[in-house]
Amino acid sequence: EVTADEIQRAVALLPGPTGNLFCAMPVDAQRHSLNVLASLGRAGQSNADLAAAALLHDVGKIAAQRAGYPLGLWWRGPLVLLEALAPQLLPGLACADPASGWRYVVYVQLNHPAIGATWADEAGCSWLTCWLIAHHQEQTPPNTDPARLALLQALQWADGKN
């Protein structure tokens, strides 16, 4: 469950129309993102770009929902397990065509960071917020300065914790 007050506070932290992206996410994804933000806050993280990335890091997953295939728990559980146990299989199953059904769901799971970063950029997020969203599942992106890497690691830590 997410309260109206929590949604209002989240939208207030996001630039311009990016609040609409947060509101388009399913309630369980909103709850996850709010929990990630809260973990960062408890850890003393107050960077505005990091806060926006915490709220929007999984927004790309709604691409599947928009295509008629909500990426709910029924999909996420098996996909996360397959990603952990046999990650080499997923790219072969993925298809970028929304008409491909479950194969599009796999595509979205694999590509939601890039999808979300593109949407965040189009909606007016900073380049740093978009970079954090785009790389939130990468261990060490190449050519990353230490300050940016520290923000990414904080986001990954909070995401993994929640």
Side-chain angles (χ1 to χ4, degrees), residues 39-59:
S39 291
L40 289 167
R42 284 190 299 274
Q45 296 284 347
S46 60
N47 181 286
D49 292 308
L50 180 59
L55 292 169
L56 297 175
H57 70 280
D58 282 340
V59 72

Side-chain angles (χ1 to χ4, degrees), residues 1-3 6-7 10-11 19-37 54-55 57-58:
E1 182 177 307
V2 175
T3 68
E6 287 176 308
I7 291 174
V11 169
N20 293 334
L21 290 174
F22 179 81
C23 291
M25 294 166 59
V27 172
D28 64 323
Q30 290 176 347
R31 174 82 275 146
H32 166 70
S33 295
L34 290 165
N35 291 346
V36 170
L37 179 64
L55 292 169
H57 70 280
D58 282 340

Side-chain angles (χ1 to χ4, degrees), residues 83-137:
E83 214 166 4
L85 299 174
Q88 70 281 3
L89 294 178
L90 285 179
L93 299 174
C95 180
D97 180 5
S100 66
W102 66 268
R103 295 180 66 207
Y104 183 67
V105 174
V106 175
Y107 171 82
V108 170
Q109 175 67 21
L110 292 174
N111 294 285
H112 77 272
I115 295 166
T118 298
W119 290 349
D121 180 52
E122 291 169 352
C125 281
S126 73
W127 71 268
L128 180 54
T129 295
C130 296
W131 184 88
L132 290 166
I133 294 168
H135 297 284
H136 80 270
Q137 292 194 319

